[in-house]
Amino acid sequence: IASSDSILAPGALVLAPRDEILLEVLKELDFKNVTVVEDFKTIANVMQDAGYDTHAIGKWHLGYSKLDQIPTGVGFDSYMGYLQGQCDYYNHTVPACQSGTQFCMYKSDNGESSPYGPNAAGSDFWDSKGKNNLESMSSAFGNYSMDMYESRFEKILAEKKEDSKLFVYFAEQTLHIPIEAPPEASYLENCANVKGGDALINRTVLCSMASRLDASIGRIESLLKKYGIWEDTIVWAVSDNGGMNQFIEAFPASASSNWPLRGGKTTVFE
């Protein structure tokens, strides 16, 4: 299980077997085709070699220009989630736009524009059931993603054979931007005393997302117990950076606070 409030959340696990200095790795990246280097062995590959069934859920953001770069191309038996750095929790889309005030597929400073206009959006929600397989889940438009991730996790547990071994990489989407409240009112009610921010970057809404994340972790524990494997399971809970605070009044700022520590995501103090 890993919190995905960073573009490097999956990378922290995928890159773990290697000892290159991060700065040197960054110098060599081709940012037009960023992906896991082909000669890297991922943790999923290692677990597969040890006889485990391997599954990935949630955020990826480690390459998708070809099928060899998505999770089922680097050691996972199945995958459900989004391949970009962020997407809408309900529509599972990335806007075309050009404004530079939000996450866009087309940037005005690159002289690019969408053939479908600035108000268009691209779906980024996928299901992969094996190598060289990727199917759109655009039909899930309107469904809250966190609910769907948990349903997928339960399906994996329910279908697990009694004598099989299981490795699941669950990259939670929340608390990543966009700042969107869960559908249940109870999570906002839990955060009624948390104030701050503005209409766009709102700490009450961000708190409701944290409350939903707490519930998700509890749900994962409950499901492991329901299917009788809690006592035989090791859970790693990983986060690789501090929260993103409101350093500007627009994208990509968020509403986290790391007090009494300084900085956060996007800074050298993260």
Side-chain angles (χ1 to χ4, degrees):
I1 303 163
S3 172
S4 71
D5 192 21
S6 167
I7 66 168
L8 294 176
L13 296 179
V14 171
L15 300 181
R18 298 296 289 264
D19 59 0
E20 282 87 352
I21 299 172
L22 178 60
L23 181 60
E24 295 303 314
V25 173
L26 291 175
K27 287 179 180 177
E28 299 300 321
L29 282 177
D30 172 8
F31 284 96
K32 293 182 179 178
N33 190 29
V34 176
T35 184
V36 178
V37 180
E38 290 183 1
D39 67 348
F40 270 46
K41 195 163 191 174
T42 71
I43 191 171
N45 294 132
V46 173
M47 300 304 279
Q48 268 189 339
D49 292 346
Y52 284 74
D53 298 330
T54 58
H55 304 276
I57 301 170
K59 181 175 179 174
W60 182 238
H61 208 197
L62 278 171
Y64 56 87
S65 65
K66 55 185 179 180
L67 292 176
D68 287 345
Q69 299 172 354
I70 68 173
T72 48
V74 294
F76 289 99
D77 297 319
S78 77
Y79 171 65
M80 187 192 80
Y82 60 106
L83 298 171
Q84 287 270 10
Q86 67 177 76
C87 72
D88 189 276
Y89 285 81
Y90 293 90
N91 300 339
H92 320 297
T93 55
V94 178
C97 61
Q98 263 187 292
S99 64
T101 60
Q102 58 180 311
F103 183 62
C104 303
M105 288 188 290
Y106 296 89
K107 292 293 189 182
S108 57
D109 57 359
N110 290 339
E112 300 173 340
S113 61
S114 168
Y116 304 103
N119 296 321
S123 175
D124 186 17
F125 206 44
W126 308 92
D127 186 16
S128 178
K129 296 183 175 68
K131 198 171 178 66
N132 298 319
N133 170 261
L134 187 65
E135 300 176 7
S136 170
M137 293 183 65
S138 58
S139 60
F141 187 95
N143 293 312
Y144 187 61
S145 60
M146 298 285 285
D147 296 334
M148 300 188 70
Y149 299 146
E150 290 167 16
S151 294
R152 179 59 165 254
F153 183 62
E154 181 166 18
K155 183 175 186 292
I156 291 169
L157 297 183
E159 295 177 354
K160 177 186 177 296
K161 296 179 181 178
E162 186 173 352
D163 59 348
S164 66
K165 297 182 292 185
L166 187 64
F167 173 76
V168 179
Y169 173 70
F170 195 144
E172 296 273 18
Q173 184 173 356
T174 185
L175 294 112
H176 202 287
I177 52 176
I179 302 175
E180 295 178 325
E184 300 88 354
S186 59
Y187 297 111
L188 277 171
E189 292 168 358
N190 291 342
C191 298
N193 293 323
V194 177
K195 309 292 184 181
D198 52 34
L200 178 65
I201 305 171
N202 188 282
R203 283 187 54 76
T204 310
V205 178
L206 187 79
C207 174
S208 74
M209 296 167 69
S211 181
R212 180 63 180 83
L213 177 61
D214 287 344
S216 180
I217 300 303
R219 174 72 170 153
I220 289 169
E221 179 182 339
S222 296
L223 288 171
L224 289 169
K225 291 177 177 177
K226 174 182 176 180
Y227 289 94
I229 61 174
W230 173 253
E231 297 296 332
D232 300 313
T233 298
I234 296 174
V235 178
W236 287 310
V238 179
S239 181
D240 68 346
N241 56 254
M244 182 184 286
N245 53 30
Q246 191 173 1
F247 61 94
I248 57 174
E249 299 299 320
F251 172 87
S254 187
S256 292
S257 170
N258 302 298
W259 188 90
L261 302 178
R262 59 182 168 174
K265 184 181 176 184
T266 75
T267 80
V268 295
F269 300 114
E270 65 176 67

